[in-house]
Amino acid sequence: MENGAAKPVIVAIDGPSGTGKSSTSKAVAAQLGLSYLDTGAQYRAITWWMVNNGIDIADPSAIAAAAAKPEILSGTDPANPTITVDGVDVAGPIREQDVTSKVSAVSAVPEVRARITELQRAIAASAVTGIVVEGRDIGTTVLPDADLKIFLTASPEARAARRSGELKGADLHTTREALIKRDAADSSRKTSPLAKADDAVEVDTTDLTLQQVVECLVTLVEEKRAGK
């Protein structure tokens, strides 16, 4: 089947931090001519807004009351995925430690998840050629009917090494502890926990290079498109 005639394909990629989700998802989307959505950035964006607007992060009811207020726009070009909140470019600020340390608490609030999930479904539905959506609950909650679901894993050591390479001046041990703590928070929350969908293909990236993971996923998507 020619790519031009291929039906839109929706690919859900889930997994904990440091498994190479973002790099892999962007590369797969670019290679296959698909849109790309980083759902974690959306949760970071709403967290950034809460912090900047003085919302008490320790008070779920205050977070819930404000969940509908910020306007979050996500660009879906894998080569340049943009994100703005109320017209402000927040791609840089949402990666800072202040937001990182609070995103699990904000993400756990059901009203926040309902708002962001609705946003994610609308973006996926409007992707003309298809889309690669990465996050923690895409295959289980956001897009349970995705054409292909992939769950990336890696050892805590490998993940910490990758993540501390991304975070300037991060200490490996501290990064590993923070990752394990965040996994526990995300896996145990009541609303849409981090979990592997029953029909997801699990890919362990511990001993693979980024290029190997990308090749593996591109093959899976192409097989799915070909109806295998």
Side-chain angles (χ1 to χ4, degrees):
M1 191 190 288
E2 287 298 310
N3 267 1
K7 69 180 182 65
V9 62
I10 292 181
V11 183
I13 300 183
D14 290 306
S17 304
T19 49
K21 266 200 322 262
S22 292
S23 309
T24 302
S25 301
K26 276 186 251 188
V28 169
Q31 207 162 314
L32 292 169
L34 304 176
S35 296
Y36 159 77
L37 179 62
D38 173 359
T39 64
Q42 295 178 313
Y43 283 106
R44 285 173 173 273
I46 201 165
T47 302
W48 174 88
W49 185 91
M50 298 276 174
V51 171
N52 270 353
N53 284 274
I55 308 296
D56 182 0
I57 303 299
D59 180 359
S61 61
I63 293 171
K69 291 181 181 173
E71 186 190 5
I72 298 165
L73 280 180
S74 298
T76 58
D77 175 358
N80 181 31
T82 55
I83 185 150
T84 63
V85 181
D86 296 339
V88 178
D89 177 357
V90 294
I94 62 170
R95 302 293 166 189
E96 288 170 7
Q97 188 53 42
D98 193 33
V99 170
T100 301
S101 63
K102 297 182 169 95
V103 69
S104 283
V106 174
S107 302
V109 176
E111 288 81 357
V112 169
R113 296 208 80 79
R115 162 89 202 283
I116 301 289
T117 296
E118 189 182 342
L119 199 57
Q120 290 160 2
R121 286 177 178 157
I123 292 168
S126 64
V128 181
T129 54
I131 191 166
V132 176
V133 183
E134 57 128 326
R136 283 170 161 70
D137 66 338
I138 311 307
T140 50
T141 303
V142 181
L143 300 168
D145 298 326
D147 299 297
L148 177 63
K149 301 175 188 177
I150 292 159
F151 194 83
L152 295 183
T153 62
S155 71
E157 289 70 27
R159 290 166 48 214
R162 288 172 192 160
R163 191 35 70 100
S164 61
E166 291 168 17
L167 301 168
K168 304 287 176 279
D171 153 355
L172 197 59
H173 176 73
T174 311
T175 304
R176 182 177 180 275
E177 295 306 307
L179 283 177
I180 290 169
K181 190 176 169 189
R182 173 124 189 243
D183 288 351
D186 290 350
S187 302
S188 61
R189 65 169 176 244
K190 289 190 178 73
T191 309
S192 305
L194 162 66
K196 179 187 164 201
D198 293 339
D199 53 349
V201 179
E202 186 165 328
V203 178
D204 187 333
T205 69
T206 304
D207 299 318
L208 301 177
T209 63
L210 173 62
Q211 196 48 47
Q212 287 172 320
V213 181
V214 171
E215 283 168 14
C216 169
L217 268 54
V218 164
T219 303
L220 288 170
V221 177
E222 286 178 335
E223 284 177 353
K224 180 59 73 174
R225 270 183 164 171
K228 287 182 186 173

